[in-house]
Amino acid sequence: MRLDKAVSQVTDLSRSDVKKAARAERITVNDLVVTDAAAQIADSDLVCLDGEPLQEPGPRYIMLHKPLGYVSATKDSEHPTVLDLLDEPNKHKLHIAGRLDIDTTGLVLLTDDGQWSHRITSPRHHCDKTYYAHLAERIGDDAAEKFARGIWLDNEKKRTKPAKLEILYANEVRLTIGEGRYHQVKRMFAALGNRVLELHRERIGDILLDEELEPGDYRFLTAEEIASVH
Ligand code: URA
């Protein structure tokens, strides 16, 4: 692989930054200064920048408190994205394990470990997600039973899987679902003639949104949180 590509993949430097760093004699390969950023290097070569060895970092696992107005995408021409909230090198390598709508707040997980995020998003793994919802109308007494039985959503061939509804106040609920269809929570309440005014994700599997995180804040997951997704 070319030196500039190898260095830019594991640092925040663009290829032209790497070229400048090489010309400034900041890069060594196997302890020899290399000034040509186009030089070919092998996987086994030890590349250092300013004397520090460059290594592919291990997988990263991040929880973010998504604020209103941010899209769960890595790029968007109109709105800020959840990636804009991260101050991390190589953040474009991270992906989102379960998106939230632009007007939904709460727990978003980001990682560069595709197998781990698959266990969260794949319908086969039934990873529960818990949402707090503030509704436009009072919730009916029979709603919990309807959610437990499964709901027919518009344009869907199958009922939703059994979901657990906890009524907190007349128009505030906590809902736990094991799947992640398009706008699922809003569509479930719409199917009962209600409307979600505010939606906030509190939990994914056994991972709870850390109460210390203000909207827009993030932190790395603990080893225990990472291991809880299996
Ligand atoms: N269900 C929704 O309708 N919106 C979300 O953002 C998440 C789940």
Side-chain angles (χ1 to χ4, degrees), residues 18-167:
V18 179
K19 203 169 167 181
K20 284 183 205 145
R23 278 214 219 101
E25 303 191 351
R26 292 171 57 202
I27 299 178
T28 56
V29 177
N30 303 330
D31 292 331
L32 293 175
V33 172
V34 175
T35 53
D36 178 9
Q40 287 293 326
I41 56 157
D43 283 349
S44 55
D45 286 335
L46 177 68
V47 181
C48 295
L49 174 68
D50 298 328
E52 290 296 320
L54 299 180
Q55 282 164 355
E56 187 73 51
R60 292 176 288 179
Y61 306 89
I62 291 174
M63 74 157 71
L64 167 82
H65 186 164
K66 179 190 165 308
L68 285 173
Y70 282 74
V71 289
S72 295
T74 47
K75 265 191 205 156
D76 192 271
S77 52
E78 268 182 73
H79 302 284
T81 73
V82 291
L83 271 200
D84 294 332
L85 295 163
L86 303 183
D87 181 18
E88 297 298 323
N90 291 310
K91 57 186 184 179
H92 60 274
K93 289 191 176 170
L94 297 166
H95 60 266
I96 301 155
R99 293 162 194 277
L100 290 180
D101 298 335
I102 189 165
D103 57 353
T104 302
T105 58
L107 177 60
V108 168
L109 298 174
L110 296 119
T111 182
D112 45 12
D113 180 343
Q115 288 185 351
W116 187 83
S117 60
H118 181 72
R119 294 198 288 275
I120 290 175
T121 53
S122 137
R124 268 196 323 121
H125 285 87
H126 307 291
C127 177
D128 283 349
K129 287 126 198 140
T130 300
Y131 295 86
Y132 159 86
H134 177 197
L135 306 169
E137 311 292 338
R138 290 179 70 90
I139 187 83
D141 291 338
D142 55 352
E145 206 184 305
K146 287 182 176 162
F147 277 83
R149 253 189 274 133
I151 305 252
W152 287 105
L153 300 178
D154 274 353
N155 303 319
E156 297 269 354
K157 295 201 182 74
K158 281 187 185 163
R159 273 176 203 256
T160 54
K161 300 233 169 69
K164 187 172 166 242
L165 184 77
E166 197 186 329
I167 299 175

Side-chain angles (χ1 to χ4, degrees), residues 12 16 29 33 35 37 53 103 106 135 148 161 169 181 194 205-206 229:
D12 253 354
S16 70
V29 177
V33 172
T35 53
D103 57 353
L135 306 169
K161 300 233 169 69
Y169 299 104
R181 303 192 203 180
N194 211 324
D206 288 331
V229 177

Side-chain angles (χ1 to χ4, degrees), residues 215-226:
D217 287 351
Y218 68 93
R219 70 156 169 82
F220 285 85
L221 296 190
T222 63
E224 203 178 317
E225 285 167 337
I226 298 165

